[in-house]
Amino acid sequence: MGNWVVIAEYYSDVSRTEFICRGLETKDQALKTLRAALHTYVPTKHIVEKRRHVYRFADQETYLVVIKGKLTEWECTLRIAELVSDSADPAVAERARMDDCEAKAAGGPQDRTPPGC
């Protein structure tokens, strides 16, 4: 099972997080799924869509979707996330820690090993 998910975050009486897709194997798969959802994702609230604006944040992995309906305007943030800890599967945290160490090491020469590696 993959560790990547695509989520929607929005406010509807309270802050909510909705999983659009779970179990993606790679970050690239998650980004591809995220970009596909930008123009097709519809909220659980019943909105008759008249217009949709999609804004990309500078990190290139987060988007703001604004849907204008007949009577209301609805906003949500779509983004990807990686599972880095699972109390039922300690190997998840170990894999995430090793990935972080590899990423730090690839950044260039270092005088010492990054903490935790």
Side-chain angles (χ1 to χ4, degrees), residues 3 83-87 89-100:
N3 291 340
L83 176 66
V84 296
S85 180
D86 181 350
S87 61
D89 185 1
V92 170
E94 181 62 23
R95 282 193 305 270
R97 188 179 71 75
M98 294 306 293
D99 289 347
D100 286 345

Side-chain angles (χ1 to χ4, degrees), residues 12-101:
S12 177
D13 299 328
V14 295
S15 293
R16 300 182 187 273
T17 300
E18 179 181 324
F19 287 86
I20 296 173
C21 187
R22 298 181 194 223
L24 298 164
E25 293 293 328
T26 66
K27 183 177 181 180
D28 287 338
Q29 286 177 332
L31 287 169
K32 185 176 179 180
T33 303
L34 168 67
R35 291 183 183 121
L38 295 174
H39 303 287
T40 59
Y41 175 74
V42 290
T44 52
K45 293 181 83 172
H46 299 292
I47 294 179
V48 177
E49 183 176 331
K50 293 182 101 20
R51 185 173 184 174
R52 178 182 296 238
H53 287 132
V54 177
Y55 299 90
R56 183 179 58 219
F57 287 84
D59 67 4
Q60 306 282 319
E61 297 175 2
T62 306
Y63 293 82
L64 174 66
V65 177
V66 180
I67 299 174
K68 175 76 172 159
K70 280 187 172 183
L71 303 173
T72 62
E73 187 172 275
W74 185 84
E75 302 168 358
C76 74
T77 303
L78 299 181
R79 64 179 71 204
I80 62 172
E82 180 183 18
L83 176 66
V84 296
S85 180
D86 181 350
S87 61
D89 185 1
V92 170
E94 181 62 23
R95 282 193 305 270
R97 188 179 71 75
M98 294 306 293
D99 289 347
D100 286 345
C101 291

